[in-house]
Amino acid sequence: MKKILKTASTLILAIFAAALAYGGWGYLDAIKDADALKLRADALIAENRGGQSLGDARLQQLLQVQDPNFQGHSGVDMITPGAGVTTITQSAAKRLAFEAFKPGIGKIRQTGYALGLESELNKEQILALWLDTLEMGKGPDGWVTGFHRASEKNFGKAPSDLQETEFLSLVAVLIAPGKYRLGTDDPALAERVERIARLVSGSCSPLDNGDVWLEECR
């Protein structure tokens, strides 16, 4: 029995060490990529494609839905209601660090990369990279990547110039871009927009960290 327990303990330690090493690899890759990513992010911000281009009120709406404690965490948040298991920084890491992200073990490297981003880039730079790489679903000319591009393709104007419902529909598709269709009469999208509208108006709040579908705002 002691031999079995010793073997099991050794195996657990080996798995933990491997996970730590895999996460560390992601962290070091982010450090290595940081200078190029800063340049890319600063260029996006200069082109008025960063978070501040949305306007303060709409930026707060976006963060309230996607990552309520974005300004306060260091890349990971498993506590804040509505945050889910993936922060904005982790979401950006998913697209910046992988050619093809696979759930499961990939989450370890994704998290390490996110922690590296947080250590080297400021929040506005991370936000700009995230907005630019977001999957936004199918537009009039095919699949669209990038929050600002989706706004321009589907509505013909920048996010800051959208009507409230139009802006919230951009936010709404982020949870499942393959499910919703912007710029169309999509009942499922309209229902998601209604939940978000209730949230940002203060009429409801997420039940817990995992309530990303805003069941409390139905």
Side-chain angles (χ1 to χ4, degrees), residues 52-90:
Q52 292 302 319
S53 71
L54 306 179
D56 289 341
R58 287 190 168 169
L59 175 57
Q60 289 309 310
Q61 289 177 337
L62 175 63
L63 295 181
Q64 189 175 357
V65 175
Q66 292 300 127
D67 192 347
N69 193 33
F70 174 67
Q71 298 294 347
H73 66 62
S74 298
V76 178
D77 183 358
M78 300 298 292
I79 299 173
T80 304
V85 297
T86 303
T87 64
I88 281 175
T89 314
Q90 288 172 305

Side-chain angles (χ1 to χ4, degrees), residues 144-159:
V144 182
T145 301
F147 195 85
H148 289 77
R149 281 187 289 275
S151 179
E152 292 154 2
K153 289 283 187 181
N154 288 282
F155 302 112
K157 47 193 173 183

Side-chain angles (χ1 to χ4, degrees), residues 2-165:
K2 288 183 178 180
K3 186 176 182 180
I4 293 174
L5 288 174
K6 184 177 180 181
T7 301
S9 299
T10 301
L11 181 60
I12 291 170
L13 286 173
I15 292 172
F16 178 78
L20 192 63
Y22 193 43
W25 174 32
Y27 182 90
L28 292 175
D29 275 349
I31 302 301
K32 180 186 67 177
D33 297 343
D35 287 344
L37 291 175
K38 287 177 185 178
L39 289 174
R40 178 177 169 184
D42 289 344
L44 289 167
I45 294 166
E47 292 168 6
N48 213 30
R49 290 179 175 269
Q52 292 302 319
S53 71
L54 306 179
D56 289 341
R58 287 190 168 169
L59 175 57
Q60 289 309 310
Q61 289 177 337
L62 175 63
L63 295 181
Q64 189 175 357
V65 175
Q66 292 300 127
D67 192 347
N69 193 33
F70 174 67
Q71 298 294 347
H73 66 62
S74 298
V76 178
D77 183 358
M78 300 298 292
I79 299 173
T80 304
V85 297
T86 303
T87 64
I88 281 175
T89 314
Q90 288 172 305
S91 178
K94 176 180 176 179
R95 295 168 177 84
L96 297 170
F98 298 84
E99 290 186 7
F101 177 79
K102 294 182 179 180
I105 193 170
K107 188 76 175 180
I108 298 172
R109 182 168 181 267
Q110 176 194 26
T111 299
Y113 198 94
L115 295 173
L117 289 179
E118 289 278 354
S119 74
E120 295 294 317
L121 278 66
N122 61 45
K123 291 288 187 177
E124 181 61 15
Q125 289 169 328
I126 292 170
L127 192 56
L129 293 169
W130 176 70
L131 288 168
D132 191 55
T133 56
L134 283 172
E135 300 292 339
M136 299 298 300
K138 187 176 288 187
D141 302 319
W143 194 264
V144 182
T145 301
F147 195 85
H148 289 77
R149 281 187 289 275
S151 179
E152 292 154 2
K153 289 283 187 181
N154 288 282
F155 302 112
K157 47 193 173 183
S160 58
D161 296 327
L162 296 176
Q163 299 295 321
E164 181 81 356
T165 300

Side-chain angles (χ1 to χ4, degrees), residues 77-85 175 206-215:
D77 183 358
M78 300 298 292
I79 299 173
T80 304
V85 297
I175 195 168
L207 175 64
D208 53 28
N209 174 265
D211 189 15
V212 294
W213 287 96
L214 304 177
E215 293 297 325

